[in-house]
Amino acid sequence: MKVLITGGSRGIGRAIALRFAEKGASVALTYRSDEEAARKVAEEAAAIAAESGADAQVEVFRLDVCDSSAVDQTIEEVIERLDGLDVVVNNAGVMQNQAAAMMSDEAWQTVIETNLTGPFYVCRAVLTHFMFERFGRIINLSSIAQDGASGQANYAASKAGLIGLTRSLAREYGSRGITANAVVPGLVNTEMIETVDDRLVEHWNQFCPAGRLASVEDVADAVWYLSRREASFVNGAVLHVTGGLDVAP
């Protein structure tokens, strides 16, 4: 298996890269600015793959998913270096939270372009290859904010749009051996949790039926499942990894 993960230098993206490496897949991961972190993840993934005895590659690419020409070029390079591509995980994303009445044009556009337009560019770039191979897995990382979240009009809109994009691709290309699915994580215990209001964490721990935050491994396992050939009849699905709490506070 050969997989491309956007935004693979930390958090959920890192966990996904390591999970695929553990399973013996060749991994290409992208970063936008933190090359050092991306290289470190690549080293970890390569070491894990070696331990499992897999003859797998790990490649790193700098990519701004908002740049359509850069996306096209990077996809070509990934396919060339990995000698193919089976799975694309659109994980790269940003937040710029603010009340809607005070939100700047830049904050709106940056989030929409990164979280929604960027994944569209990536999907568009891989579809020809997937159609030729009669196989492909597109997995988009959405969020429970898709149902609306206070102070996150831009983020919520981008993640809701990602669901629509996913389901449209599922309808258009399901007959060609290509599946498109979305994963909706709940509140995930990453380094970003330090920027979250303590009251939100308390709310989650209190009301989530699972009684805890999601781990990055919880999300990575869901992505791994959707990537497998055994998931060939799962298409257009929105898989909630939320412990049972599906509404953002």
Side-chain angles (χ1 to χ4, degrees):
M1 183 184 292
K2 298 157 186 178
V3 57
L4 167 65
I5 304 158
T6 67
S9 62
R10 62 176 182 164
I12 292 173
R14 171 182 172 273
I16 294 170
L18 298 184
R19 177 64 79 244
F20 275 90
E22 179 188 4
K23 300 296 185 180
S26 290
V27 176
L29 59 92
T30 75
Y31 69 96
R32 187 179 62 175
S33 58
D34 195 344
E35 181 176 2
E36 182 179 355
R39 296 288 178 191
K40 184 176 180 180
V41 173
E43 290 174 4
E44 291 180 84
I48 289 172
E51 286 178 7
S52 68
D55 182 19
Q57 294 174 249
V58 181
E59 304 284 348
V60 176
F61 299 85
R62 184 180 184 279
L63 176 64
D64 180 355
V65 296
C66 300
D67 184 338
S68 62
S69 61
V71 169
D72 291 343
Q73 182 179 346
T74 300
I75 295 298
E76 290 181 7
E77 292 177 5
V78 168
I79 292 172
E80 181 178 353
R81 286 206 213 170
L82 298 186
D83 192 26
L85 185 61
D86 305 305
V87 182
V88 165
V89 181
N90 280 304
N91 171 70
V94 296
M95 285 185 186
Q96 291 191 18
N97 298 344
Q98 199 167 30
M102 304 298 293
M103 187 173 291
S104 67
D105 292 353
E106 181 182 3
W108 173 267
Q109 292 164 358
T110 297
V111 172
I112 295 295
E113 288 174 6
T114 304
N115 297 1
L116 179 57
T117 305
F120 166 73
Y121 289 156
V122 172
C123 293
R124 183 177 64 183
V126 301
L127 279 168
T128 299
H129 173 74
F130 283 175
M131 284 189 287
F132 180 79
E133 297 293 330
R134 303 289 298 182
F135 180 86
R137 297 283 185 264
I138 295 170
I139 304 167
N140 296 322
L141 271 292
S142 183
S143 165
I144 58 169
Q146 61 157 324
D147 292 324
S150 179
Q152 292 187 314
N154 49 2
Y155 187 74
S158 70
K159 294 302 185 178
L162 204 54
I163 299 297
L165 172 63
T166 300
R167 287 177 166 159
S168 294
L169 294 175
R171 288 173 179 258
E172 288 184 29
Y173 298 100
S175 64
R176 306 190 186 197
I178 301 167
T179 65
N181 294 289
V183 173
V184 176
L187 192 60
V188 183
N189 190 11
T190 69
E191 61 270 18
M192 291 182 65
I193 204 70
E194 296 177 2
T195 67
V196 173
D197 192 317
D198 290 342
R199 290 172 296 179
L200 176 59
V201 177
E202 291 172 5
H203 174 93
W204 193 272
N205 287 328
Q206 180 180 357
F207 292 104
C208 177
R212 64 174 177 86
L213 307 184
S215 71
V216 290
E217 290 78 16
D218 290 327
V219 182
D221 285 338
V223 172
W224 166 248
Y225 163 69
L226 292 172
S227 73
R228 301 177 64 193
R229 288 185 180 271
E230 290 83 350
S232 63
F233 207 60
V234 181
N235 191 27
V238 180
L239 179 56
H240 287 241
V241 185
T242 62
L245 184 59
D246 292 337
V247 179

